[in-house]
Every structure is written in structure tokens, then in C-alpha cells.
Amino acid sequence: MGQLTYFQVHLLFTLPPLLVLQLLYQPLRTPQDTIKWSFLILIAVIYTTPWDNYIIYHDAWWYCPTCVVGTIGWVPIEEYLFFVVQTWGVGTLFSLLTRVERLPILDVRPMSNQVRVVPCAVLLALGAWAYTLAVPGEKTFYMACIVAWITPVLAFLWYLSASYTLRRPLSAILTLTLPTVYLWVVDTVAMRAGVWHISERTSLEWEVWSGMPVEEAVFFAVTTGVVVLGCSAFDLAAALLHTYADVAPALKGVNTTPSFSLSYFGALVRALLAHEFGQLDELLVDDIAASIDILREASSSFYTSSFVFGPEMRQDLCVVYAFCRVTDDVADEASHGTVEERKKTLGEMKKWVADTFPSREELQAGKVETAKGGEEVVKHENPAFRTLGRLLRTKIPKEPLLELFEGYEWDLESKRKVQTEPDLLEYSSYVASTVAEICVWLMLPDTNESCGPMPRAEVMHKAREMGLVLQLVNISRDILTDAAMGRCYVPRTYTSPGELPELLALASHNPPGPALERIVHQNGLSGRCQSWARRMLGVAEGMYEGSWRAIGSLPRGCRPGVRSACEAYWAIGEEVGRVCKEGGNGVYPMRARIGRWRRLWIVLKAIYRPEISWSCKGVGKWVGSVGGMMWAAGVMRAVLLCYGMWQDAHSPLKYTDIDYQVFTDAAKYVWGGGSPYERETYRYTPLLAWMVVPTAWGGAWAAWGKVLFALGDLVAGYCIIRILELRGMRTARAIKLSALWLLNPLVAVISTRGNAEGLLGAMVVGSLLAVVKKRTQTAGVLMGLAVHFKIYPIVYVPAVMVAMNESYGGSVESPAEGGVKTEVDGDEEVSKEEKGLVGKGLAWVNPSRFNFAFASGVTFVGLTWGMYYLYDAEFLEHTYFHHLKRSDHRHNFSPYQLLLYLSASPAIKASQWIPFHSFAFVPQLLLSCVILPFAFAGRDLPGTMFAQTFAFVAFNKVCTSQYFMWYLVLLPLYLPNSPLFTKPYKGLAALALWVGAQAVWLHRAYALEFLGENTFFPGLWVAGMLFFGVNVWILGVVVGKLGGPGMWDKRGLVRKVYWG
């Protein structure tokens, strides 16, 4: 392999563990995790960069010049990558380990000053002493620089988070030791290979082991420790903010939604300061702890499964469940008094709920505090009640809580029986559907939107159905358990006369347990209990599938927890069904259970299983799910990859595209420390060569690039499905339309032959998905990356900017009657018509447009500058300028093909002052960059982007089949409402003409290339003009029906087109 490089160190040793950690944690990741990691990475890079430049400048360590890609300042580029990888990896490991710890809010109490202040003083004194020893050229220089640099940060973070961190010793120790020791090993390997070296002149020359200087050991230990403390401080602040934002006056009105905004980070700082200065009521923490104790004792299984949720959601759900347990105990347990006394207690509790919580209408209108009169109403003697009132009074309405008490009253009312199946469902809705509705209020606080294709109102309905399902499972399992308590929820219509009284009599005279099971079996009632249970499970099964699908419209971070809870309950139902199978003669058990290992397997499946439809009983249904379509598309590409390897090995006509040879050759130069442009005809960004570097390792890795490009196809297909769903299309139909891309043989063949257009398509469609989801900065980053990758996506920038109009931000107001005047500076009124061009221009630049433009610009300029820094002018020449000057006259469908061929003559070249093909961009860019986006993007962004791409390719001076990929990826987004789809004859005619025109051109091209005939004129020219004419006609059809009411409604929400 030759000399090990720094980039190879990352590829072989640091990036794989990071990838594994990300894959493990990805299903559990919350927006807060992303913000935490990003913030810590930013701080690490900013704080470490000047220090590292300083010590390299003074020869504390040096690197092999041929082992790095390049430098920024004195520091290798790979070293900056290390700052990111270490911080991200350690942060992910800490988040993963602390996920199974107790709630963060329970560990916020500060410890004594001896624990916090004394270590800080020691650290600062040590840093000051080290500063005096950090003399360049001295033996103590490197170690002193490390200590002087890190101790102020350690002292600050220790003061903030020591109390929190020390209460989580196992997570902190494991996160500190595992990455530190691993990095020691990696550092030893790299130094022994000569990738970098510690200068003996500025080192103490002490070693932990051979090849591991003590300075390096200390560096990795303290930097890992800083990340651990930083994560602790962030988690502490987030826990305080979530818990006290609606409670503490010091935090009133702060931004609690995790985001990269300054207001959110300001809120975190305010929470820490309020905590530090004693402005937060610690009684609330005591109440939360008491609620958790109630939950842990009452339901260890729910307490354990709650770890799957993020800490904030977990805290809220635990508070709700503790309240439910307290109220349920009052209804169930005789220790709380007689039936009448318990009714009275429940009545008082019900009144407290009615007085404390807002109605659904008040909550939706945001009138919680004004309607409820503030903090005084949440006072209660029970900590579970106080916690529920203080934390969730602004998040859940009173109606489902009051319904819960209806169920308790049913239990205590001896005359009220479950007579029919509707009675059973009514009772179940009181005691279970209500809890499910509360969960939806907590998980989907935005009353207008869900996080998936299903509207929020339908998600709420399906959640209540799931509550019915789980309660029916409970009842079918607990027939004997309930009978032992003198209750029976089996509908009388299920039973024969005398059966239920006999069962209740047996249960009242025999202790619960195996004895009761035997007596019931001996009296011939086990079979009847099994029959009743099967019937109730049949009702539940009819609702389970539809309710299960709604989980996909909950926030991503909530889905694993909800799935694991629902699947665990349903597994109990399956166990009951197994025991009660038709014809079974076994004993009906007191309570069917599932084993611990099975429960663990259910949780792991719920977390890591791909999101596919629940019903997969047939291949058709399976392929009709998102996961099934992805698998089908993946298998299709895998087969093509295998066939391609066989054809390459056995046929003179190679399957692999010549472009792939260019990519892989360039990757070999990069792997060897050279430039990708050492490979002739490499006309792409170096980023592409970097991405396919594993192909340089040979063997099976030679297909790495093709696999990567095929994965790009799959990512693009998934984004297509999500965009269609967000615009109102049913998932089943969105999947069918995605097949135009995912199961398109042209697309699959182009990618598996080794063409990177699928990867570019993923960037473009991913950017569009981010626009639709209002993630403007993500959209900008992806767009900047796409433009850097291949310059043509720049045509989409004006379209996206136009689409981000006032409605996009939800700021459109209905005009007042009687004019168009607006108020400026209080009393001064100025009509909109009087605004000058500057004013109109400034008004056009709204926050969304600015964020998108800034993010895309910074990404493009940053990548382009970085590549220019590394590869100088040859990068610009081969990546951009070549394509502007390109004049291929072979393999070109363009109408300019013949003129390009003729102008290739040296005589004609010499006679042209400005080559005519330089003007070919004028109609192309005018149409795709100006006319189409400004005319249509505000009304239909996906359709406009398709039209832009189609026009760009049709009018391009170079047009090859791989360019068709550019608009095929957008075709499923345009097609549903287009006349090409709604009028099949027109669509079939367009397809026939498009394919036929290509066939005519290919016939003439075959005669030229393989038969040696001169078919440039009139053959190829006429064929090219025919194909151009067909494209122009299709473009006219496309543009003729573009438009609509707009992408966004006046609230800024995605307008549901409801294609069905």
C-alpha cells in the first residue's frame, strides 16, 4: 500500500467508528442532539485552530509533507477533520450511554463548593504555571502548551456541569476512557508509520508505551474530557429549559424549540444562569422525582421502555403516566376508603383538572394563561398532580383527562355493566384512548401539521384507535385478574346466561393465581374465557393495522418508543391468542406474559427496523410499501452490478462506462497523494474523486463508486416519495410514481455503469425536500453542494428564491378594506406604490431567501475556494471552464451538433473571433434561469424545476443520454397533475415521439460510428433537429399547464394538492 497518509488514517481508523456510532444512535437522535454536536464541533474548531497553528509553527510536532492533502495555515486539512470527528464521536457515545440513565432533570442540583470551586481553582493555577513554562524550544513547551490551553475550558465546564456529570459516573467514565484509549492506539500506529512525529526538542520524552508520548496521551484525555463536560453542560441547560420554561418567571417567554437560532442558545444560557443564582424552584425537581418513583413501582416495564424516547418527551410521558397511576389506584384500591369515599376523592381530582387545564379550543388558540389565571391553580397536595399541572398545563387539554375519570366512575358504579361490544369500546376509550390522545398532544404540539403524510386530525383518531387496541389486549389477557377484583369487562352479548356470575363467584372464593386457574378450568370455563379473549382480539386486530400506520406521521424521535410500546402490547395479545387458539384445551392463565429477551428483541426491532408498512403478507403489499420499493430498487441495481462484472470479464463490449474508469483513475492519484487532474479527461470536482477513493484499494472495492451512485438513486427516490406525501398524495400512489425513477431501467443502468448523475439527483431532490419542509439552511447547503458538484443546478436557485415568497414564511395578511396603505413609524402612512426600487428590493429579501442564499453561497464558495486552494487553476479549468467551452460533436443529440462538427476545423477556428457556440447559452439560460422560474416557481416549484431542467438539456449545446437523468429525477414530482398523465393519449404520444426521435438519431449515429459512413449531413443533423423539435413540443405541453394556487397557503404551510 505504500506510505500511510493522514487521510488514510481517517478512512481506516477514525471514520468507521464514527459511522458505527451514528448508525447505532440515528433512530434515537433528536434535534437537540444535532444542535449539541454541531455547537461543540464549532467551538472545538474555533478554539483549537489558533493553538494548533501556534505549536506547529514552533515545531512541537510535524507531519510528513507527502502524507497530507494540504494545509490551512500550518495545520493539515486532515487535522481539522480530526477536530470534527473526535468531538462528534465522543458526543455521540455520551448521548448513547446517557440515554439509558435516569432523567437529566433529576441530576441538576448543584453540589457543594468544595466539589465545584476547588478543582476549578486548582485547574486555573495549574494553567497559569504551565503558561510560564510554555517557552518555544524548551522541553516543557508541548506539555505546557496543552495544559495552559485546556485548563481554562476545563475549569469553566467543570464549574457548570460537575454536579451533573458526577451523578452519571458510569457514562462519564466509559465515554472518557474508551475513545481516549482508542485514540492512543491510532496515534501510535500513525506515528510509527511516520504520518506525524512529536519533536524531541520540545517534548519531555516520557512515554505511556513505546511510541506513545505522554503529551499525546494527555492531549487525547483532556480533549475527550472537555467534550464529555460540554455535553453534560448542554444536557443540563436543555433539561432546565424544558422543565422550567413555563414555570419560572426568569425564563418567561424564551424560545424553547431546539434550533440553531441565537434566541435558543440565549435561552439555554438564561436557564443556566437562573439555576446558578437560585431562581428555579427545586420543589419541582422533588415532585418529578416522586412521580418517577410512583411510575417505577407501578410499572417497571413502561419505565424501562420510556428510555427509547428523548429525555424531554420521556419526562413528559412519565409525568402523565404517574398521574394516571395515582388516579387509577384511587379507583382500584380499597386502601383509599369505601367506594363512596373514593368517588368523592375522584370528584375532587376531576374538579382540579377542570379548573387547571385549558379546553382544546383554548389550547389551540394559545389562551392558556389568560384563561386559567396563572400558576396558583396548579397547587395540590399530591406531587404527581403538582408536576402535571406545572409542566403540562400549557401542553395538553382537559377533555381527555376528564374522560379518564369517566372510566374510573364506570369502574366504581356497580350497576353499570359492559352489556355490548359498543359498551366495551366506550369504556376502553375512556381509560386508554384518552392517554393516547394526550401522547399525541405532547408529540405533535402544532395543531395544524403532522410529521408525515397523514393529517394531524387523522393521527389523533388513529391514536385513539390504538388506545382501544391496547386496552382490548389488556382485557382479553386479564379476564381472571379482573374477576378476582369483582369486575368483568367481557360484553354480556359474548356470554351465555349464568357464565359470568359463575366466573365471578369462583374468583371471589379462590385466591388469585394457579389455584383459580385450575378451578376455572375444572368448571369448564377456561374454554369460554379463551373464546371471549379471541373475540376481543379479533376486534383489536381489525384496528391495529390502520392505527400502526399512523405512527409514521409522528415526529421521528418519537416513533421508536411508540412502536416498541405498541409492539410489546401486541406481542402480549399474540401470546394470549396462542394460548386461546381455536380448539385449545389448555388452562386460561391469570396473566399471559412475554419473556424479557423477547421484550428486548421487540424494542431493538422497533428502533432499528426500516420504516415499512406493517402489513407485508404478500409480495404485492410488500413492494407497495416504502421499504419494499427501496428493497426492490436496491435488488434491481445489485443484479445489474453483478451482471456488469460478468460482462466486463467475458465480453469485449464492456458494461462499465468509460467515465467510471476516469473517476477511479483519478481516485488512485488522490489516494497516492496526487491530484485527480493527473488523469487526462477528468473534468469534475475533486470531491467526486475523494468519494470514490476506496476503489483504489482494489478487489471488491473496485465497485464502490457504482454502489455509491446506486445509493444516490435510492436516496433520490425516497425524497421523491416524501415530497409527494407532503403535498397531499397517498403513500401508495407516491410509491407507484417513484417507480418512474427507482424502477426505471435507464436510470438503474446509468448508475450501475458508473455514472454519478444519480448522486447529483439526490442532492437536487434533497434540496427540494428541505425547501418543502421549511429547512432553508439545509436546502441551501445541498444546493451549494450540487452546484459545486456540477454547475447546472444553479438554474434552480432563482426558482427556489421566487418560491420563498411572503406566504412561505406564513406572513401574508389579508389586505385591509379601502386601500393598500401600510403604517410606518407609528402615524405616518405610505402607499406601497410609492416605494422605490430599493425599497421593493429590500422587501423582496425576506429571511427565508436570505438564509437559503447565504447557506448555498457559503457552501459553494467554501468548497470551491478549498478545491482551488488545493489544486490551483487546474481545478477551475477542468471543473467549470471546460464545460463552458466544451464543443463535443460526437455522441451529441443537440441541434448544434453539426455546427460544432464544422467549427472543429482548424481553418474555421482561426477565422472565428468569438466561437459561435459561446452564444448557445443565451436562449438556454434566458429560458431556464429567467423566464420559467419568475413566471411559474411561485405557483409550482417542483413542476417549474422539471421544466427548467428539460429546457436546459434540450437547448444545451451538448446533450447526451446521461443528461436525461437530470430531469427524469423530477418527472414524478411534475407528472401527477400534468396533461401528459391526465390525458393518456397525449402522454403516450409524447413518449412515442421522444423515444422514436432518439431511435432515428441512434440509427444514423450507428452508421457513423460502427459502419464508417459519413452521416453528419443530412442524417444526423435532421435527426438532431427532429429530436429538438419533439423536445420543444413537449416543453410547450409542460409549460402550458404549469401553475396553480401556489405552493404555500397564507399560514406558510405546504398546500395539499391532494392527488389521491
Side-chain angles (χ1 to χ4, degrees), residues 10 13 146 229 277 288 356 374 431 509 668 734 803 888 921 937 964:
H10 281 307
F13 299 110
I146 293 172
L229 291 174
F277 291 106
I288 295 173
T356 302
V431 298
H509 292 89
K668 291 175 183 176
D888 296 358
F921 290 109
F964 302 156

Side-chain angles (χ1 to χ4, degrees), residues 10 14-15 18 21-22 33-49 78-96 149-150 157 175 179-180 183 219-220 222-232 234:
H10 281 307
T14 65
L15 292 177
L18 176 63
L21 285 171
Q22 289 302 310
D33 290 319
T34 303
I35 294 166
K36 173 175 63 179
W37 300 334
S38 302
F39 176 72
L40 293 177
I41 288 170
L42 179 64
I43 296 300
V45 172
I46 292 174
Y47 188 69
T48 310
T49 294
E78 295 91 337
E79 180 82 352
Y80 293 100
L81 177 60
F82 174 78
F83 302 159
V84 176
V85 171
Q86 183 190 12
T87 308
W88 195 0
V90 173
T92 306
L93 179 62
F94 185 77
S95 297
L96 186 62
W149 165 71
I150 205 69
L157 291 176
T175 310
T180 298
L183 291 173
F219 172 80
F220 290 122
V222 296
T223 51
T224 303
V226 163
V227 178
V228 171
L229 291 174
C231 289
S232 294
F234 198 100

Side-chain angles (χ1 to χ4, degrees), residues 113-125:
N113 284 337
Q114 288 83 351
V115 174
R116 301 175 67 201
V117 177
V118 173
C120 290
V122 172
L123 285 169
L124 292 175

